Amino acid sequence: MHEFDDTADTESTTDRRSPTNTNRRRYLAGVGALGLTGLAGCLDWVSGQDDDDDPEYNQIGSGRADRELAGTPIAEMPDLEGTLEVYSGRDQFLVGQLFEDLQNYYDDFTIDPRYGSSTDLVNQIRTEEANTPADVFFTVNVGALGLLAGEGYTQALPDEVLDLGREGYQDPDGQWIGTSGRARTVPYNTDELDESDVPDSISEFPETDALADQIGWAPTYGSCQDFVTAMRIMEGDDATREWLEAMVDHGVREYGNEFQVAQAVADGELLAGLTNHYYVVRVLDNRNEPPIDMTYTDGDAASFFNVAGAAVMDDSSNSDLAANFVRHLLSAEAQDYFAVSRTFEYPMIPEVEPIEELPSFDDLETPDLDLQEFTQADVTETEELMRDAGAL
């Protein structure tokens, strides 16, 4: 049995293309003037009582006062009561506030989180087997969810949970569900490049002279390896190896994580990079009109859309509570949290839109890739291929 190892899939704590054929990535232009500063870390939810003694879920200081909550509100969901052990491959910086908010809302509900990389947590569950204390596995890495489901460590989620999510972004057998999403993008320095200077196809990047020694990536980072896995599925191992080798020969520059790549683009240290969309938003959120924007390739692996998600452990002694907790991750309030607070992700219920500066979900031009096929891919083979190509 392979040891699951996706190297660096934890999220950085320092931290589509347009529907028209023109101006296809100017969605973030002018974000600095729109008051994104203060969104990160300022979404607080508190519990209170109205005249009928029913709890109200209040959104405080989100910076998006004009956003109306959509979807199923927490008030219409079953109460959470008891103690839940959550193994979280999502960083505390990004989801800890959400956990606290839920505990503040429900007086008799406690989350006992265990934070770590999805790699470590998956291997821990494998070691613990039926004795694992984990009730819920919550992760940014959908491959880890697929692996645990495939090895029988998870149980099917109730229909009332699965019915909330987007079709195609959950396990066909109901073993896990996507809770938020992220698009692969190409950030570029707007002082040095126009949108027309960035190729529409990832295959053209190592052939673009302007990008020689001027493009960055984070090959040890889980999201970058997910992109390479998507390329393997779509193009085959041989073509992917050739592309990786060509990128190395073209002088692609390595960084520790994708937030650093986006920062380097804004600093003028790089002309372009390969990152998830929200790292660009975070740079814009923390700087005054930095020279950075992002584009999307035309439906190839570099525009892959991936999800974070959650599953209930098969041996959970609190399976009903665990399923209802996952249900709360798909509530109107939690989905808006993912969209406008620390993560700037794509919500995973159809009723909630991303922040205004991002293309809508329906406008993304993602590749024709079955997410289930992606979850069944062996990430260790991706790492081996990247090492063989000199990318790791």
Side-chain angles (χ1 to χ4, degrees):
M1 177 175 64
H2 287 297
E3 179 181 354
F4 178 67
D5 181 8
D6 57 4
T7 310
D9 69 331
T10 51
E11 300 155 296
S12 171
T13 60
T14 58
D15 7 345
R16 191 165 158 222
R17 184 176 167 106
S18 167
T20 64
N21 289 327
T22 60
N23 197 21
R24 59 190 169 96
R25 55 249 161 124
R26 301 297 296 184
Y27 280 93
L28 292 176
V31 162
L34 290 174
L36 272 179
T37 299
L39 274 180
C42 65
L43 184 68
D44 296 318
W45 297 340
V46 298
S47 61
Q49 300 293 323
D50 63 16
D51 292 340
D52 297 322
D53 290 332
D54 292 328
E56 294 180 335
Y57 215 71
N58 300 316
Q59 185 177 346
I60 309 275
S62 71
R64 298 279 168 160
D66 57 336
R67 281 181 66 96
E68 294 184 3
L69 290 179
T72 304
I74 282 177
E76 297 179 11
M77 292 188 171
D79 290 349
L80 300 179
E81 182 176 346
T83 299
L84 203 63
E85 182 92 16
V86 178
Y87 279 21
S88 179
R90 305 221 64 181
D91 197 277
Q92 183 175 3
F93 173 80
L94 299 178
V95 301
Q97 184 64 56
L98 175 61
F99 291 177
E100 290 182 18
D101 293 338
L102 289 171
Q103 292 175 103
N104 290 336
Y105 183 67
Y106 293 110
D107 292 337
D108 298 321
F109 177 57
T110 300
I111 299 173
D112 186 6
R114 181 171 300 186
Y115 294 102
S117 73
S118 295
T119 298
D120 293 340
L121 294 175
V122 165
N123 288 328
Q124 184 166 343
I125 289 170
R126 284 171 147 183
T127 300
E128 295 166 340
E129 295 186 329
N131 295 318
T132 182
D135 297 301
V136 173
F137 180 55
F138 184 31
T139 178
V140 72
N141 191 311
V142 71
L145 290 167
L147 187 147
L148 287 179
E151 294 186 358
Y153 288 102
T154 62
Q155 60 180 271
L157 293 163
D159 288 342
E160 55 265 28
V161 176
L162 297 171
D163 289 346
L164 293 173
R166 287 186 181 274
E167 185 178 356
Y169 293 95
Q170 53 189 259
D171 180 65
D173 297 322
Q175 299 291 307
W176 57 264
I177 189 165
T179 54
S180 58
R182 57 199 186 275
R184 295 299 292 175
T185 64
V186 183
Y188 66 98
N189 185 285
T190 56
D191 283 346
E192 302 294 335
L193 296 178
D194 294 326
E195 64 164 350
S196 59
D197 296 323
V198 182
D200 287 335
S201 170
I202 192 65
S203 64
E204 298 175 8
F205 277 53
E207 302 170 0
T208 304
D209 292 341
L211 297 181
D213 303 312
Q214 291 293 321
I215 188 168
W217 64 5
T220 64
Y221 208 52
S223 293
C224 184
Q225 294 182 11
D226 287 346
F227 145 65
V228 176
T229 299
M231 182 180 287
R232 287 181 51 222
I233 295 170
M234 297 177 65
E235 307 294 339
D237 285 359
D238 290 343
T240 302
R241 182 183 293 103
E242 290 177 4
W243 182 84
L244 289 167
E245 291 172 344
M247 286 293 289
V248 172
D249 290 343
H250 205 51
V252 64
R253 294 157 67 178
E254 181 176 342
Y255 290 78
N257 61 57
E258 293 187 348
F259 185 56
Q260 294 174 1
V261 174
Q263 289 177 310
V265 171
D267 290 340
E269 182 180 320
L270 295 171
L271 294 185
L274 300 173
T275 74
N276 284 337
H277 78 273
Y278 46 68
Y279 293 112
V280 181
V281 182
R282 291 177 194 173
V283 171
L284 288 160
D285 180 47
N286 285 284
R287 302 193 188 188
N288 183 22
E289 299 184 359
I292 187 173
D293 203 343
M294 63 182 176
T295 184
Y296 304 80
T297 57
D298 193 6
D300 58 27
S303 58
F304 175 52
F305 187 90
N306 202 355
V307 298
V312 174
M313 295 295 97
D314 188 53
D315 293 303
S316 171
S317 59
N318 298 299
S319 58
D320 289 343
L321 175 61
N324 282 329
F325 169 76
V326 175
R327 189 174 181 177
H328 277 66
L329 296 178
L330 296 163
S331 67
E333 292 89 348
Q335 289 292 293
D336 207 55
Y337 174 95
F338 291 132
V340 304
S341 69
R342 287 172 172 84
T343 61
F344 304 115
E345 292 174 288
Y346 275 86
M348 273 290 105
I349 62 173
E351 297 90 343
V352 180
E353 288 291 331
I355 57 173
E356 294 85 344
E357 294 74 34
L358 293 174
S360 71
F361 186 89
D362 292 337
D363 287 333
L364 294 174
E365 295 190 12
T366 58
D368 185 15
L369 174 63
D370 186 343
L371 196 61
Q372 181 68 6
E373 187 177 3
F374 174 80
T375 63
Q376 294 172 350
D378 189 341
V379 70
T380 60
E381 293 180 2
T382 295
E383 293 175 344
E384 291 170 3
L385 187 148
M386 293 178 74
R387 289 191 188 96
D388 290 344
L392 281 179

